[in-house]
Amino acid sequence: MTTTLFRSFFLTLCLFVIPSLSSDSDPLQDFCVGDLKASPSINGFPCKSAVSASDFFFSGLGAPLNTTNANGVAVTPANVLTFPGLNTLGLSMNNVEFAPGGVNPPHSHPRATEAGVVIEGSVFVGFLTTNNTLFSKVIHAGEMFVVPRGLVHFQWNVGKGKARLITAFNSQLPGSAVLPSSLFGSNPTIPNPVLTKTFRTDDVTVNKLKSKFAV
């Protein structure tokens, strides 16, 4: 293969590979309100045929949430599944509320970078790099944070009262892999020898943890 042909081949390959590294695909029209009754495609849901102004507005991020659960945290997502007007637009948001001491447990978003702002309270925010370095800080109302795509992160309400975040993602459906639930509450379950070896512990401990996260 000549040098010229090789360069042309390499350039063509790059043009195919580079778009696949982005988050959601770029839209090909002004909007495409998702038809949630249809099966999703690679770039979201098929477009709904009849569209109205209400398809472009969402009121779910302001309502108070019930944080009386084991983690003391509740989330209202505004993603394509709850707000179909976001379909193909490559963004979504969450309302996250914490009881005093509430924790949003370690998790990751495989399809999106996350940015967030504290609306109320004081929140300890941290994320881990792939070399296990922790970047963390306590932030207060009006302050913002960012978590790079796919990295494990968490939030903890360290204030005396409730706390609230609004978070945004560069994906219409960022996904969330919550580590405790993924490891100890999967269906079917991860074999005990994998978990006992991984965590340097025994069957009794693993079974106890599995009982807490059983679906």
Side-chain angles (χ1 to χ4, degrees):
M1 182 181 291
T2 66
T3 301
T4 302
L5 287 175
F6 179 81
R7 287 176 179 172
S8 298
F9 173 78
F10 181 77
L11 178 59
T12 303
L13 182 63
C14 288
L15 291 175
F16 279 101
V17 171
I18 290 172
S20 69
L21 299 179
S22 61
S23 188
D24 290 3
S25 301
D26 290 332
L28 301 177
Q29 60 279 314
D30 288 349
F31 57 81
C32 175
V33 177
D35 181 359
L36 301 187
K37 296 180 181 179
S39 298
S41 60
I42 292 175
N43 191 30
F45 289 86
C47 305
K48 190 168 73 169
S49 56
V51 176
S52 66
S54 62
D55 288 312
F56 302 99
F57 298 90
F58 181 79
S59 59
L61 294 182
L65 302 180
N66 182 2
T67 58
T68 56
N69 54 63
N71 291 324
V73 64
V75 179
T76 296
N79 57 41
V80 69
L81 299 180
T82 60
F83 185 12
L86 295 174
N87 191 49
T88 76
L89 298 184
L91 59 90
S92 58
M93 301 182 77
N94 282 348
N95 176 32
V96 188
E97 291 196 15
F98 301 80
V103 172
N104 195 3
H107 62 284
S108 66
H109 303 292
R111 297 186 288 272
T113 292
E114 175 180 349
V117 61
V118 178
I119 304 300
E120 181 181 356
S122 300
V123 182
F124 181 81
V125 178
F127 72 85
L128 292 156
T129 67
T130 53
N131 66 1
N132 296 326
T133 300
L134 173 65
F135 290 93
S136 62
K137 185 178 180 180
V138 175
I139 58 175
H140 311 280
E143 296 183 317
M144 184 178 175
F145 67 90
V146 65
V147 178
R149 174 180 171 179
L151 295 186
V152 173
H153 58 287
F154 58 87
Q155 295 104 19
W156 170 33
N157 179 7
V158 294
K160 294 182 179 179
K162 72 174 185 177
R164 182 181 175 217
L165 305 175
I166 294 292
T167 57
F169 307 88
N170 63 335
S171 172
Q172 64 189 22
L173 195 62
S176 182
V178 183
L179 269 62
S181 300
S182 296
L183 292 171
F184 299 104
S186 65
N187 185 21
T189 62
I190 297 174
N192 272 22
V194 174
L195 295 172
T196 56
K197 191 80 170 181
T198 298
F199 291 100
R200 280 68 163 173
T201 188
D202 51 44
D203 280 326
V204 173
T205 302
V206 167
N207 288 334
K208 185 175 181 179
L209 288 167
K210 283 185 174 181
S211 70
K212 292 180 182 296
F213 293 97
V215 178

